[in-house]
Amino acid sequence: MAINKIGVLGAGTMGAGIAQVCVEAGYTVVLVDIAEDFVTRGVNGILKNWDKAVSKGKKTAEEAEKYRSLISTSTDNNTFKEVDIVIEAIIENINVKQKVMKELDGICGPDTILATNTSALSITEIAAATSRPGKIIGMHFFNPVPAMKLVEVIPGAETAQATIDEVVDLSNKISKEPVPIKESPGFIVNRILIPYINEAAILYQEGIASAEEIDKAMKLGANMPMGPLALADLIGLDVCLMIMEYFCNEFNDSKYRPSLAFKQKVRAGHLGRKSGKGFFDYNN
Ligand code: CAA
């Protein structure tokens, strides 16, 4: 089955980024979220990226105009009736993801692939809520999506080889590098990255060094493009905490214990860039 029309569910940072790279590859995209405000914010973010690219001379105004014409928006999941694949990028909660996948299963045609951008959860468990486990797959993008080359492609226990092949092909067509991997909590990148960030948060909590010093050390001493605590703020401290708690439960191993710094900041509502404050302050 050829993929022509793509549905993206969730117009937050990840969903908007996914929609952007899909239209830039020439696909028609319908971007859906539960409220008009969320969809508008997502599209405005995409338009801002294109404005920047035009002013840098990386894209022409005509290209930006053409891309814009390929995106439509909605707040109704029934809009996904006609798409060939839906890429879900909503909240990281297994109950919500299962509920939404079950709903999409009832709406979409039988050949439609339902992909999830989950950052750690079980594809098999998400697929179990649907009547099409062969067509459910993990398609994990990285933030900021337009700049990050990798897509982890994760089959669940019953995902068909044809579905894996389609998603690998789509990833290549949207100029990403797909890495197909077996299902395991956090896949490859987050299994390594989130405990690394957690260790930085533990150092911070212990008062060994300031957030600035920890990040400076990792940038200058390990050539990281950004420090671990700024990266935590970019990912979202609620997401980092959720992933560490998931690892702790899934592996039943205390080496994945989340840092108190994550817990306190999340409890205070300091979630990182998206709330204006995390390890660093983004209000100015
Ligand atoms: N949205 C869209 N594009 C962006 C962007 C954003 N928020 N931020 C940067 N970019 C683009 C820029 O437009 C620029 O593109 P061009 O080269 O085409 O002009 C390119 O990225 C480089 O940007 P800059 O020159 O402004 O800045 P930089 O060189 O400092 O790079 C960075 C910025 C790409 C974010 C870099 O700091 C980096 O790679 N950081 C690490 C990011 C990372 O590790 N992400 C993974 C997080 S984990 C995750 O996402 C998975 C999960 O499940 C939690």
Side-chain angles (χ1 to χ4, degrees), residues 2 13 63 87 138 150 210 233 242 253:
T13 309
E63 277 170 327
I87 305 171
L150 179 67
S210 68
D233 282 351
M242 185 287 293
D253 188 336

Side-chain angles (χ1 to χ4, degrees), residues 93-138:
N93 175 301
I94 188 67
N95 298 325
V96 179
K97 287 204 191 280
Q98 282 191 321
K99 185 165 169 270
V100 160
M101 281 297 193
K102 188 171 181 202
E103 187 193 347
L104 296 179
D105 189 32
I107 291 170
C108 298
D111 292 334
T112 302
I113 293 172
L114 302 180
T116 171
N117 180 53
T118 179
S119 44
L121 302 176
S122 163
I123 311 305
T124 304
E125 199 174 355
I126 293 169
T130 74
S131 64
R132 65 177 83 198
K135 297 218 161 263
I136 310 292
I137 193 161

